[in-house]
Amino acid sequence: MSRCHIFVTGSPGVGKSTLIQRVLNELQHHDPELMAQGFHTEEVRQGGERLGFDVVTLDGRRGPLARAGGGARGAPTVGKYAVDLPSFERLALPELRPQQGVQLYCIDEVGKMELLSPAFLPAVTSLLDAAPVVLGTLPVARLPQVEALKRRPGVQVVSITREDRDRKMQEVLAALQAALHSAARAAGKWQPGAGCDAAALGLLLAAGADPLALLPRLLLRYDWSVQVAQLHPFHEQPNGWRAGLAACLAHPACEPERPHASEHRCQLLLAAICCRDAALCSRLIQGAGDGCWGRHANNCHLLVAAAEHDLPAVLSALLDVRTAGGGQPFSLAMAHEGCSPLAAAAERNSCGALQLLLQRGADVHAAGPDGLAPLHWAVIGGACEAAELLLLAGASPNPACAADTSGLHLERPLLTAIREGQLALVRLLLAHGAAPAAPTERGCTPLSAAVACERLEAARLLLGLGVDAQQAMPPELNGGRYRDASLPGRAPQPAQQAGGTASDRPSSYASLLGLAASRRTHAASLLDALLAAGACPAGDQAPLGAAALPLAEAATAGGVQGAAHLLDWAARHRLPLLRLGWAEAAAAAARRCLASDSHHELLCLLLDAWQAQRDASERPLAAAQCRAILSALLAAHTERQAPRLAAAQSLDAASQLHAVLLSERFAELGICADLTQSLQAAPHNSCIVVAALPPAQRWSPHTHRHWPAPFKAATSQLLLAAARQQRELSSWTPGIGPPADASLAVLPPHLLHYIIQIASSSLSSWLSYSEH
């Protein structure tokens, strides 16, 4: 048995789960009888804060997978989340058992949390051996278990980015449809969702099946199949359901001269339109009585279908129909499912139908219930010729509407064309007067959309037209911040501050440079284009001053490539790092460095740059800047340890050591601060606070109570030895250790000097010792 197991992978937030959901929806749209089982994970949020994750089965059952800051005692953790293995195994494992009749299995995802279950990986491998078709997601991190899965027979790994995910979705969909069809044929079953089986349909008709009874279902399946068609003209692409409709129309029972019921005649006419049989359409229209046009919904469907399939003669014939009483059952104002004939022709690039409708007086400005004008539908469909016809007919190049939360379109045709990378449409719209710099209420401009969606050529085109690379968003629009147009489904929010969630990616930015620097793929090229056009990354020269520091915005978003490029630019142009916003960027990266590999990499990058330029800097960091950076590191450690603290568990030693190492690296660069006052509320940060102290204070008697346990134990032994040797310390009984709050101030100077001397090694070495 041949197997098709497709696993989608890509960077966090790239849309893996969304792609899986869209593919499942399309497969079930094509075949409502498709039997699928499996699970996916969903974020659980409250008030904009992510609380954890739920596991959700395809039939809607839900249970907790992980929660932040809690969980059963002893529960395993991934980052700050405690994983609820009993809940996960109760819901997910039964979904991985092969069942009779199930055609498709979904696993979203094979990740760190799921792999904590000892039964999960064996269940996945058993399923891959038994099931013909599996769809799932894999993390981009190279986990040994995941790498082994990738090498199994039949497994295909599809890597996606924001730029190619729509195209890859179509490829995955096509591969799964073919695999499901093949699996059904191998099992001796007809798979309706994979296309019409012409041989089976022919046998049915030859055996006496009524083609008129088959037409409604065939029409429905055909309609579903063309909804996902991307190529123009779509009606010239092979389509099995259209072949099925043609087979039924060729049956003698479907002759137009037969006395068909009105409902049947409408279905025959719709099938003839779908098959683009203009002659048959003409015969059916001529032979229709007034009763055939009695249902308004049917008439709307017929008119829109004729426009979609580019049948101007049929459109004209329908618009000319008159009832015996002089009524006009068809009009240009009709709409089917909210779409007018003109909008349908525009989206499908049906230029013949479009010209006929314009000649008949169709309104190029008329918007549907969703606020979309025909020009916007042409852009959504990537129909350049149709868009040009509409513009030449007087359509406004700047019709506005609300952005679609599902991602179908943005507020204006130009923004949508830019986001989709339709450069020919972008040039066409700009040539006909589309506003190249006008902002929307949601905080988007054409240039910001090009930067956010990493459409480099579009960005260069706009900058070449003179769009200001330093343009600031007006404060009354989205709080003066640029909306990330690549995240259409998320509500606008500012960059996360110290209280935010470490893994959240901001959806708005104060500057175009900050937006560019946060990109994952083309950050360097986008930055080069903006910088060459006059943008300046220095906070004292930006329109919004320090509030629009691109380096800090890149650090908040984890934009390693963009931050590295800005640092390199600053070095080449001899721009001091403090003017670039180094201190703010370091604080932003430190706040997330324990929860995100990209932020840790970025923080190390910032520290390397500071070390390289420290001697050439105009001035050292101010005390407030040092305190802000180290306070951010303490906040990151507190957040990391929160689940264990809440469950009264011991601290995560690895995270503690990681934070101490970073504190020591800061100290090597002269970035120190006395944060001992913060320990009353967060005593678990004591080791990090000691490492963050200025060298002169780090091992002083005043800070003795904050020292790590192994060093305190060594010191206690020295104190005890001193007590035995010097009887004047009469408050200590021989054989008993000193009190826990004993101060080193009572020691003779030579012994205190010796203790400080043996403590000269870094604090991290004492913590490492305590782990062994």
Side-chain angles (χ1 to χ4, degrees):
M1 176 181 64
S2 62
R3 297 183 177 90
C4 177
H5 304 324
I6 298 179
F7 285 90
V8 179
T9 187
S11 303
V14 76
K16 299 186 293 292
S17 295
T18 301
L19 184 147
I20 294 290
Q21 290 299 314
R22 290 176 63 188
V23 168
L24 286 174
N25 290 340
E26 293 296 346
L27 289 173
Q28 291 172 332
H29 222 119
H30 283 242
D31 179 19
E33 287 92 19
L34 176 71
M35 292 189 65
Q37 73 177 37
F39 72 90
H40 65 276
T41 55
E42 288 184 4
E43 287 187 348
V44 178
R45 287 184 174 269
Q46 183 177 6
E49 180 182 0
R50 186 165 68 188
L51 304 180
F53 302 88
D54 276 356
V55 56
V56 185
T57 62
L58 295 191
D59 58 6
R61 290 174 292 119
R62 175 187 295 268
L65 170 61
R67 291 293 185 269
R73 188 177 183 86
T77 60
V78 174
K80 67 176 183 178
Y81 299 101
V83 182
D84 190 338
L85 287 183
S87 170
F88 170 71
E89 292 177 339
R90 184 172 59 253
L91 281 168
L93 293 184
E95 298 298 304
L96 303 181
R97 298 184 189 126
Q99 302 290 338
Q100 184 70 28
V102 175
Q103 300 156 278
L104 173 67
Y105 295 85
C106 176
I107 310 172
D108 181 17
E109 71 172 344
V110 183
K112 290 182 181 179
M113 292 183 181
E114 294 82 1
L115 288 169
L116 289 173
S117 166
F120 177 66
L121 188 60
V124 172
T125 55
S126 297
L127 180 66
L128 295 179
D129 290 336
V133 186
V134 175
L135 176 63
T137 61
L138 299 175
V140 74
R142 295 179 64 86
L143 305 177
Q145 306 97 315
V146 171
E147 295 304 307
L149 282 180
K150 292 178 180 179
R151 295 190 292 268
R152 295 186 67 84
V155 170
Q156 305 173 42
V157 179
V158 178
S159 181
I160 66 171
T161 64
R162 292 186 183 278
E163 290 70 36
D164 65 10
R165 60 188 176 189
D166 291 337
R167 176 175 59 81
K168 293 286 183 71
M169 178 238 170
Q170 295 298 326
E171 294 175 1
V172 170
L173 179 61
L176 288 175
Q177 286 178 325
L180 290 168
H181 197 188
S182 299
R185 285 186 179 277
K189 300 176 181 178
W190 178 39
Q191 175 66 19
C196 182
D197 190 317
L201 181 60
L203 290 173
L204 285 173
L205 293 172
D210 183 3
L212 293 172
L214 296 174
L215 274 180
R217 191 171 185 81
L218 289 171
L219 285 167
L220 183 62
R221 297 298 178 83
Y222 172 77
D223 190 43
W224 288 339
S225 72
V226 300
Q227 285 182 14
V228 295
Q230 300 293 318
L231 300 176
H232 298 310
F234 79 98
H235 46 72
E236 293 183 5
Q237 308 305 315
N239 188 296
W241 297 111
R242 189 187 301 120
L245 290 171
C248 286
L249 290 174
H251 195 276
C254 294
E255 287 289 335
E257 286 73 26
R258 285 177 174 265
H260 299 296
S262 297
E263 187 66 25
H264 287 161
R265 184 169 288 272
C266 281
Q267 289 173 356
L268 287 170
L269 179 54
L270 184 58
I273 290 172
C274 295
C275 294
R276 302 194 76 241
D277 190 336
L280 181 57
C281 290
S282 178
R283 292 164 63 192
L284 287 164
I285 293 172
Q286 290 174 3
D290 286 358
C292 188
W293 318 121
R295 294 189 60 186
H296 181 74
N298 285 350
N299 297 348
C300 294
H301 196 177
L302 290 169
L303 197 64
V304 170
E308 276 188 309
H309 289 79
D310 204 11
L311 293 170
V314 176
L315 273 174
S316 183
L318 290 173
L319 291 169
D320 289 339
V321 168
R322 298 293 184 271
T323 62
Q328 189 175 356
F330 297 93
S331 73
L332 296 171
M334 283 181 162
H336 174 61
E337 296 181 349
C339 186
S340 69
L342 189 64
E347 183 191 10
R348 295 297 191 181
N349 208 33
S350 299
C351 295
L354 188 67
Q355 288 175 317
L356 182 280
L357 292 167
L358 291 173
Q359 291 169 6
R360 289 289 191 121
D363 184 1
V364 293
H365 305 291
D370 47 14
L372 291 176
L375 180 62
H376 219 146
W377 279 111
V379 173
I380 290 170
C384 197
E385 294 88 348
E388 186 171 15
L389 286 173
L390 290 168
L391 289 166
L392 292 173
S396 168
N398 298 301
C401 65
D404 182 58
T405 56
S406 69
L408 180 64
H409 60 83
L410 296 178
E411 297 96 313
R412 295 186 188 130
L414 180 59
L415 297 176
T416 303
I418 289 171
R419 191 195 65 183
E420 299 304 319
Q422 298 280 356
L423 203 59
L425 275 168
V426 172
R427 289 194 173 98
L428 176 70
L429 290 165
L430 289 170
H432 283 80
T440 68
E441 291 185 4
R442 207 172 57 125
C444 286
T445 65
L447 183 55
S448 77
V451 170
C453 301
E454 303 192 56
R455 303 301 185 186
L456 183 58
E457 291 305 317
R460 287 172 174 163
L461 175 62
L462 291 164
L463 291 169
L465 292 174
V467 174
D468 184 6
Q470 196 90 326
Q471 180 183 1
M473 182 62 59
E476 66 274 12
L477 301 179
N478 195 37
R481 301 180 66 84
Y482 281 100
R483 178 77 159 86
D484 187 344
S486 68
L487 305 173
R490 287 177 57 183
Q493 61 186 29
Q496 294 290 330
Q497 301 300 323
T501 309
S503 59
D504 280 343
R505 179 178 167 186
S507 62
S508 65
Y509 296 80
S511 69
L512 287 168
L513 281 174
L515 181 60
S518 71
R519 301 304 92 185
R520 295 294 188 263
T521 306
H522 300 299
S525 299
L526 289 165
L527 284 169
D528 281 341
L530 292 169
L531 291 167
C536 180
D540 54 0
Q541 294 185 27
L544 299 181
L549 291 167
L551 185 62
E553 294 195 290
T556 300
V560 178
Q561 181 192 139
H565 201 71
L566 286 171
L567 290 168
D568 179 67
W569 186 92
R572 286 187 284 109
H573 290 78
R574 301 184 182 278
L575 178 70
L577 290 178
L578 292 181
R579 287 185 62 200
L580 189 65
W582 186 94
E584 293 80 0
R591 179 62 184 83
R592 296 158 179 79
C593 64
L594 299 183
S596 165
D597 290 342
S598 63
H599 284 93
H600 177 252
E601 180 183 356
L602 202 152
L603 181 58
C604 293
L605 182 75
L606 290 167
L607 292 174
D608 290 344
W610 183 257
Q611 185 169 11
Q613 290 199 28
R614 183 172 48 158
D615 296 337
S617 297
E618 292 181 349
R619 63 183 187 280
L621 285 182
Q625 292 172 314
C626 294
R627 179 176 292 274
I629 294 171
L630 294 167
S631 295
L633 181 59
L634 291 185
H637 184 251
T638 296
E639 182 178 287
R640 189 73 169 178
Q641 303 289 10
R644 291 179 175 271
L645 293 171
Q649 298 173 350
S650 59
L651 295 181
D652 178 356
S655 294
Q656 185 182 37
L657 181 59
H658 188 182
V660 168
L661 285 167
L662 287 171
S663 287
E664 290 175 346
R665 179 77 193 280
F666 280 123
E668 291 172 5
L669 299 174
I671 302 171
C672 307
D674 185 350
L675 301 174
T676 51
Q677 292 182 348
S678 69
L679 292 181
Q680 185 173 0
H684 54 274
N685 283 332
S686 60
C687 290
I688 306 160
V689 166
V690 171
L693 285 167
Q697 302 177 37
R698 190 167 303 142
W699 298 112
S700 67
H702 172 69
T703 57
H704 173 228
R705 66 182 186 277
H706 306 310
W707 292 353
F711 181 73
K712 291 176 80 170
T715 306
S716 296
Q717 293 302 316
L718 288 170
L719 287 170
L720 182 58
R724 287 171 175 167
Q725 292 175 10
Q726 302 180 33
R727 295 299 177 181
E728 64 270 18
L729 302 178
S730 56
S731 60
W732 292 352
T733 304
I736 301 178
D741 59 350
S743 171
L744 295 185
V746 301
L747 289 179
H750 70 277
L751 190 55
L752 177 60
H753 177 75
Y754 177 67
I755 292 174
I756 300 299
Q757 200 171 30
I758 67 169
S760 60
S761 59
S762 63
L763 181 60
S764 54
S765 64
W766 291 97
L767 289 177
S768 300
Y769 172 80
S770 70
E771 292 306 306
H772 292 84

